[in-house]
Each structure stands twice: as C-alpha cells, then as structure tokens.
Amino acid sequence: MNTLKFYMVTFFIICSVPYVCNAQIDYNQRNTQASLDVMQYSIKNNHNSNKNAKGSPFINETFEVLKFKKFGNKVFSGRYDANLGEMQIRRENDTIALNANENFEITFVSSNKTYKTLSYIDNDGISKRGFLVVLNETDSIALLKEEVIKFHEEKPSTNGYDKAKPAEYKRVKDTYYYKIGEHVSVLPQKRKEFTKLFPEHSRKLEVFIKKNKISLKKEDDLISLFKHIGTL
C-alpha cells in the first residue's frame, strides 16, 4: 500500500512540473511586459507622416534582435530612430518607444552594438538625455557616439531653372563624447585640448597619438586611443 502511494505521489509531481514551469514563464513574461509598459511613451511616428521622403530615419530600417541588460538573456526586436532619438521595440501586438529618462543598456545581438541612455551636453552646450552608442568603456572612462539623422523638407523649384528637391532623411556626421565619472561631454578634436583631459598622462598621450598617427576624428583611431588610456 505504501509503495502504491509512493508511485502515485511521484506520478502527480512529474505531471505537475510542466504546468509549474509554464506558469513561471507566463509570470515572467507578464512581469517583463509590465516593466516595458511603464518605461515607454507613444511613438511620434515621423516615418509614416513623411513616407514619401528619400532615405530613412532609422539606423537600420528592419527590426533586429536585441537584449536589455536588465532583462538578462530574454530577446526582443528593435530599431533606433536617429531622427527622433527613439529606441523602438516591437512587441506581439504593438510597437513602443522607450522613455529615454529611464536607465537602459541595450545590445543588438548580431552587431554587438550597445546603446545606453545618458545625460550629456552637446556641441551647443545644451543638456540632453538620450541613447548613445558605447564604443569603449572601463570603470572610469568611456568613449561614446551620438547618431543623428536630420529631416530636410521638400524644396520646390523657385524659378523654373533650379531643380526641386524632394523631402529627405539624411545622416549627419556622428558626434563623439567622453564620459568620466557621471560627466558626459563632447570629445575635443584638437590634440592639446584632448590631452588636457588627462593631465597626469598628457605627455604619454602626446607620444602615443604622434607615434600611431591617431586622428581624433576617426572612430577606429579613437577606440584604439581609449583602449590605450585604459592601460595607463
């Protein structure tokens, strides 16, 4: 009799495990969706309103697989609107834009490209908050990049001789930033101004920049330079 009870209890436990696991998965999914619901705002949808324009407001038009650091290995589908500074996430029944006032670290899986939401000061001295690309990062310093696509309105011909210009999305030159502590500012493009950021290593940096023919306007050179700074 005791043996029969043992087998019955064991059978019940085995049968229950999938339901418990599924319930846990459903709970985690609902919890993740609820978190995203709080961290979103409605999409401005400029792409639809300017659908006849040349080019695209997105860095990549198609939605790509990405991961949030805060959600572990769970995968999502998203794309970055560099005209509005929106990170769009496509869900089962809708597409949302993340609220940049929240703290996000998002990595696109195929390219290993990471975006972070940060507060920073742009070229015009204006304080902003948005998504910046992380090019190199240590505990004390980071090299970041701002991607911008501008929208140009349609320009009709004014005198019959000049050509009309269609509306167009056009990517502008990327802006590079440095982060020390919590301070994020535009990266100087002149050697002397740059080395002043690191007074204790300025001479070593002068030598490294000159020896390796580093351009402070080239992304690959900047990444090499910041990797070197991380060793000092």
Side-chain angles (χ1 to χ4, degrees):
M1 186 68 177
N2 289 336
T3 302
L4 179 60
K5 285 184 178 179
F6 171 79
Y7 283 120
M8 290 179 66
V9 170
T10 302
F11 177 75
F12 175 77
I13 293 172
I14 292 173
C15 291
S16 300
V17 166
Y19 295 102
V20 172
C21 291
N22 287 335
Q24 182 64 38
I25 291 171
D26 288 342
Y27 171 78
N28 289 337
Q29 288 177 339
R30 289 196 303 272
N31 192 41
T32 301
Q33 293 294 340
S35 295
L36 285 176
D37 285 338
V38 172
M39 298 181 292
Q40 67 158 304
Y41 64 101
S42 59
I43 292 176
K44 297 173 187 174
N45 227 0
N46 65 352
H47 188 49
N48 288 340
S49 61
N50 301 310
K51 61 183 178 181
N52 294 322
K54 291 174 62 179
S56 169
F58 302 103
I59 294 299
N60 289 301
E61 184 75 26
T62 57
F63 284 87
E64 300 178 87
V65 176
L66 58 79
K67 293 180 180 180
F68 289 76
K69 184 178 180 180
K70 64 176 66 184
F71 296 138
N73 288 323
K74 185 173 178 60
V75 296
F76 298 82
S77 182
R79 61 184 180 181
Y80 182 58
D81 184 332
N83 176 248
L84 296 176
E86 287 184 347
M87 185 67 71
Q88 295 187 358
I89 304 298
R90 184 169 63 186
R91 304 193 295 185
E92 185 176 349
N93 298 315
D94 61 4
T95 297
I96 63 172
L98 300 178
N99 186 346
N101 288 319
E102 298 284 344
N103 291 321
F104 290 110
E105 182 172 339
I106 295 168
T107 300
F108 285 85
V109 174
S110 62
S111 62
N112 200 34
K113 184 178 184 180
T114 297
Y115 290 80
K116 277 188 176 182
T117 47
L118 293 163
S119 298
Y120 58 99
I121 301 172
D122 70 8
N123 260 323
D124 298 318
I126 299 172
S127 296
K128 292 183 176 180
R129 184 170 175 85
F131 289 90
L132 298 179
V133 181
V134 180
L135 298 176
N136 184 261
E137 186 176 33
T138 66
D139 291 337
S140 58
I141 188 171
L143 172 65
L144 309 157
K145 178 175 70 172
E146 181 183 25
E147 299 170 322
V148 177
I149 294 175
K150 289 189 175 181
F151 177 69
H152 299 271
E153 296 282 355
E154 179 183 1
K155 289 186 178 180
S157 174
T158 57
N159 55 23
Y161 294 99
D162 59 335
K163 289 185 178 180
K165 292 184 179 180
E168 181 179 16
Y169 287 104
K170 205 168 185 178
R171 184 165 176 175
V172 300
K173 186 178 178 181
D174 295 332
T175 302
Y176 296 98
Y177 293 82
Y178 70 95
K179 179 177 181 286
I180 297 178
E182 296 302 314
H183 180 78
V184 182
S185 290
V186 176
L187 190 72
Q189 293 188 328
K190 293 183 178 179
R191 187 187 305 177
K192 286 186 178 181
E193 292 179 4
F194 177 82
T195 55
K196 284 180 181 178
L197 300 176
F198 312 94
E200 69 277 25
H201 302 302
S202 58
R203 179 57 187 160
K204 291 180 181 179
L205 290 176
E206 284 275 1
V207 172
F208 181 84
I209 291 171
K210 187 174 181 179
K211 181 180 178 181
N212 294 278
K213 298 179 180 178
I214 297 292
S215 170
L216 297 178
K217 298 180 181 180
K218 293 183 178 179
E219 186 169 306
D220 289 343
D221 285 2
L222 287 172
I223 293 172
S224 296
L225 179 55
F226 271 72
K227 285 182 178 179
H228 176 69
I229 293 171
T231 66
L232 298 176

